[in-house]
Amino acid sequence: MNRKEIITLALLIAILPPAWAVISPYIGISVGPVALICAGIYGTNGNKFKDAHKIALGYLAGDIWALIAFEIMAHTPINPDLTLFLTLAVFGFILVIISARFSNIIHMPSWLTGWAIGMLAMNLDTTTPVMSLTVQIAVAMLVGVYYVGALLDKIHRILNK
């Protein structure tokens, strides 16, 4: 990266993600930093907009996976450690099979990451209703891919032409 590319990227990173951090609580999103994590996977994938939709779908699938796993673990009367192990094992197995079979429409790393993000948020935030939290996580994930990831990259490319 040349000096101009570094400076423009630094300025965009200094403006766009902080703007989201300020705005997100005002629109009811308590998990705003999730967007930055999700933008990281988008960037690690090479900032390829052609993959943005399958990355976003992976995140949303992970968020739903987390909700289902959370509910199973919260309502299963058997040993919590055994429930956790079995839920993670079965869901992980199914996730890999589905995402490998449909790799052209869903991104396995973002599905795994989305699942982990969702489970973490749902386990740490015990006051927000889980359905509200699931929606908030989904919004933050989409912001991460399309605003912090794709839009920032597009602006960066335009500024450096």
Side-chain angles (χ1 to χ4, degrees):
M1 232 191 271
N2 67 37
R3 181 177 159 91
K4 179 183 177 186
E5 291 172 333
I6 292 169
I7 297 299
T8 55
L9 180 59
L11 288 170
L12 289 168
I13 294 291
I15 296 167
L16 294 180
W20 166 249
V22 170
I23 292 166
S24 61
Y26 289 102
I27 60 170
I29 307 296
S30 65
V31 291
V34 164
L36 300 177
I37 298 166
C38 295
I41 293 286
Y42 179 82
T44 301
N45 191 57
N47 290 318
K48 293 183 249 171
F49 188 75
K50 68 181 178 80
D51 290 342
H53 307 312
K54 72 180 192 175
I55 291 170
L57 183 59
Y59 283 133
L60 297 177
D63 191 25
I64 292 166
W65 225 233
L67 174 63
I68 296 167
F70 178 85
E71 291 297 335
I72 288 170
M73 291 183 286
H75 297 98
T76 302
I78 62 173
N79 179 292
D81 293 334
L82 180 60
T83 301
L84 174 63
F85 178 82
L86 291 174
T87 303
L88 296 178
V90 171
F91 276 41
F93 180 87
I94 294 169
L95 182 158
V96 170
I97 299 299
I98 292 171
S99 59
R101 173 70 177 92
F102 299 102
S103 62
N104 57 326
I105 60 170
I106 194 157
H107 188 248
M108 186 188 311
S110 64
W111 192 348
L112 288 164
T113 304
W115 183 23
I117 291 167
M119 289 187 66
L120 178 65
M122 290 172 195
N123 283 304
L124 291 178
D125 184 342
T126 57
T127 59
T128 306
V130 73
M131 286 306 295
S132 173
L133 193 54
T134 302
V135 171
Q136 291 180 48
I137 293 166
V139 169
M141 289 173 166
L142 295 175
V143 167
V145 172
Y146 293 109
Y147 171 72
V148 180
L151 181 63
L152 188 146
D153 182 58
K154 180 70 173 169
I155 295 169
H156 185 244
R157 289 174 195 260
I158 289 169
L159 291 174
N160 287 293
K161 280 190 176 179

